Amino acid sequence: MQLSNAVAVLGQFPVLAGADLTVHRGEIVLLQGPNGAGKTSLLRLFAGLLPLARGEGTVLGCDLRTNRESIRKRVGLLGHANGLYADLTVTENVRFWGATVGATSAEVDAAMVRMGLAQRLAKVPVSKLSAGQKRRTALACLVARRAELWLLDEPHAGLDATGRDELDATLREATAVGATIIVASHELERAGALATRLVEVVGGQIREKAGSGGSSASAAIDESA
Amino acid sequence: MFRTARLVAAKDLRIELRSRVVTNQVLPFAAIVMVMFAFALNTDAVVERVAPGLVWLATLFSLLILVQRSFAIETADGATDAMRAAGIDPAGIFLGKALALAAELAVLEIVLLATAVILYRQDLRASGVVLLVSTFLAATIGLALVGTLYGGLAAGVRGRETLLPLLLLPVVAPVLIGATRATEAALGTAGAVVADGWPWLGLLGVFVALFSVGGTLAFGPLIEE
């Protein structure tokens, strides 16, 4: 993924103002920054949902200006909403989202096992789940969709300690098999331990955090604290 | 496209089977509308004369509820955005949602027609059965297509509950007119003969053709905006 002098606007408001960023396959990049800094917009730009107004950008080899449709099929975005259907069960939701990319039953089952949903929650309607269980279900949908690039906006929100550990393990597994992950989070301690790089988004621009290129971004977070 | 349409239609119908909104809310609403028409018109001769139009008016009012419901399940937890982000073919979404809506409308229309036969003393004639079935089929598909298109348009904007009737009712006027005239011919209302109904069925056919092509092409840009 590469952005060069990227500008994106929402209405008349520039949400990204000359952003530069390069992300390599297999990385877990943590986006840090205050509310309204442009983190979510950056994720939506990478997902092909926000058009690139100026500058250059490629995602998984596809041009962000001309080929956004192709990008979407290979990217999984988990925003503030979960994208779940309240009247369907957990299994039915994961099966539906998996089926949109032709996932097999085995892949759907594996996604549910991975997120701890295969047992007592499998047949429970989503309307009866807690916020954390809904988040886990949404993540299972993402796993079933076999996304190459995961774009996660506050993925730990609402998860208990076990759910957070399971999520982190899932993300590490995903990167081990070639997925790339970009996470926007205010939970720096948790997300920083997971990330391989820390990037700061301020006023629609991107700053690489010093010393965040190692195996973990925790050191950079400690430094910034 | 057709695989996506099948998935989306199956999902929507499963949600309906779970929630039973059509059977528990829309059907009683439509039946109440039919009874209220009878109260308002009071005279048997008038009611018998305008019965086909009342059936289709009750169908249109119920269509508004069904379309609102169809898109409420998508917007409640950001599923529309999730579908866009997942790169799901918009034409498939359009056809799938229209298919599910058509199935729900068909159930509703059978009940309304039965109500008209019992309450408004309409005669089902063997000679008019083919025209009647064809009319209901074409009008149902037409209403489902245009309802889905305008439902998608209104779903993303504020004040959608009031905007949808404003946008939809004028557009479905040709269906109301064509279906009413063809139904009158099929039932022999006020001395109409079956032959009078075929040109109106032709109008419904043109409407279906226009909105199936137009809707399939326009739905993507509509939900994109």
Side-chain angles (χ1 to χ4, degrees):
Chain A
M1 276 61 68
Q2 190 155 26
L3 288 183
S4 173
N5 199 26
V7 175
V9 292
L10 271 180
Q12 300 290 314
F13 183 71
V15 285
L16 291 175
D20 295 294
L21 179 67
T22 301
V23 179
H24 299 287
R25 190 173 286 272
E27 279 191 304
I28 302 179
V29 176
L30 168 61
L31 303 180
Q32 184 199 351
N35 290 334
K39 301 186 298 295
T40 299
S41 298
L42 185 60
L43 293 179
R44 291 177 69 82
L45 179 73
F46 274 135
L49 290 175
L50 190 62
L52 190 61
R54 265 206 347 247
E56 309 283 329
T58 55
V59 173
L60 302 169
C62 302
D63 195 315
L64 271 173
R65 285 173 310 176
T66 58
N67 209 2
R68 287 195 289 148
E69 298 299 321
S70 306
I71 293 168
R72 292 179 187 179
K73 293 185 196 307
R74 300 165 62 188
V75 168
L77 171 69
L78 180 60
H80 295 142
N82 292 313
L84 301 174
Y85 297 102
D87 292 310
L88 297 184
T89 65
V90 168
T91 305
E92 286 166 344
N93 268 284
V94 180
R95 196 171 287 155
F96 171 75
W97 288 106
T100 61
V101 293
T104 62
S105 295
E107 286 171 319
V108 170
D109 293 345
M112 292 191 46
V113 169
R114 175 68 265 171
M115 293 313 300
L117 298 165
Q119 300 299 317
R120 66 183 180 85
L121 293 178
K123 291 186 176 3
V124 176
V126 163
S127 59
K128 303 251 189 277
L129 298 180
S130 68
Q133 289 167 337
K134 285 180 186 170
R135 207 65 175 161
R136 276 159 61 191
T137 307
L139 285 160
C141 295
L142 214 64
V143 175
R145 284 195 51 232
R146 301 173 298 198
E148 293 171 60
L149 171 62
W150 296 32
L151 303 165
L152 309 175
D153 206 351
E154 301 292 351
H156 296 101
L159 294 179
D160 58 18
T162 310
R164 288 167 180 225
D165 291 342
E166 285 169 357
L167 169 61
D168 291 352
T170 304
L171 297 183
R172 288 196 180 96
E173 268 181 30
T175 55
V177 293
T180 308
I181 296 169
I182 303 178
V183 185
S185 179
H186 289 296
E187 297 191 44
L188 301 183
E189 202 172 318
R190 165 67 68 165
L194 181 73
T196 54
R197 257 173 79 199
L198 176 61
V199 162
E200 193 172 26
V201 185
V202 180
Q205 296 194 317
I206 294 170
R207 287 203 299 257
E208 193 86 26
K209 278 279 195 180
S212 69
S215 59
S216 167
S218 294
I221 290 165
D222 292 342
E223 195 177 297
S224 67
Chain B
M1 179 172 74
F2 293 110
R3 195 180 129 268
T4 302
R6 205 175 61 239
L7 270 176
V8 171
K11 179 261 297 173
D12 276 15
L13 290 174
R14 187 171 293 126
I15 288 173
E16 171 45 35
L17 286 174
R18 289 281 156 70
S19 63
R20 299 198 176 278
V21 168
V22 171
T23 47
N24 292 350
Q25 293 174 25
V26 183
L27 279 178
F29 167 77
I32 288 169
V33 168
M34 293 290 277
V35 172
M36 298 302 269
F37 279 144
F39 287 160
L41 296 169
N42 202 20
T43 317
D44 283 354
V46 175
V47 171
E48 284 169 26
R49 171 66 188 85
V50 299
L54 299 184
V55 168
W56 287 108
L57 267 179
T59 303
L60 289 192
F61 293 149
S62 306
L63 171 73
L64 293 173
I65 302 173
L66 289 174
V67 171
Q68 301 269 22
R69 164 73 183 159
S70 174
F71 283 92
I73 59 174
E74 302 295 344
T75 52
D77 193 21
T80 310
D81 219 23
M83 282 199 194
R84 284 174 58 216
I88 298 175
D89 183 5
I93 301 171
F94 172 73
L95 291 177
K97 291 200 80 65
L99 194 63
L101 192 55
E104 292 166 11
L105 274 174
V107 173
L108 177 84
E109 287 162 3
I110 290 167
V111 173
L112 286 177
L113 185 64
T115 309
V117 168
I118 297 163
L119 212 61
Y120 301 163
R121 295 180 197 148
Q122 296 297 297
D123 290 329
L124 289 175
R125 300 179 304 170
S127 59
V129 166
V130 175
L131 177 63
L132 191 68
V133 171
S134 308
T135 299
F136 271 73
L137 202 61
T140 303
I141 294 169
L143 290 175
L145 288 169
V146 76
T148 304
L149 183 63
Y150 280 81
L153 173 66
V157 298
R158 283 197 323 198
R160 52 183 167 262
E161 296 84 1
T162 44
L163 183 64
L164 182 68
L166 207 61
L167 292 175
L168 188 58
L169 289 178
V171 181
V172 295
V175 178
L176 177 68
I177 297 166
T180 300
R181 298 291 166 268
T183 307
E184 283 172 355
L187 297 176
T189 308
V193 294
V194 172
D196 295 342
W198 296 111
W200 294 108
L201 182 62
L203 173 73
L204 294 176
V206 171
F207 190 91
V208 168
L210 274 178
F211 275 94
S212 55
V213 175
T216 304
L217 294 175
F219 195 73
L222 276 183
I223 59 169
E224 193 66 28
E225 293 303 317

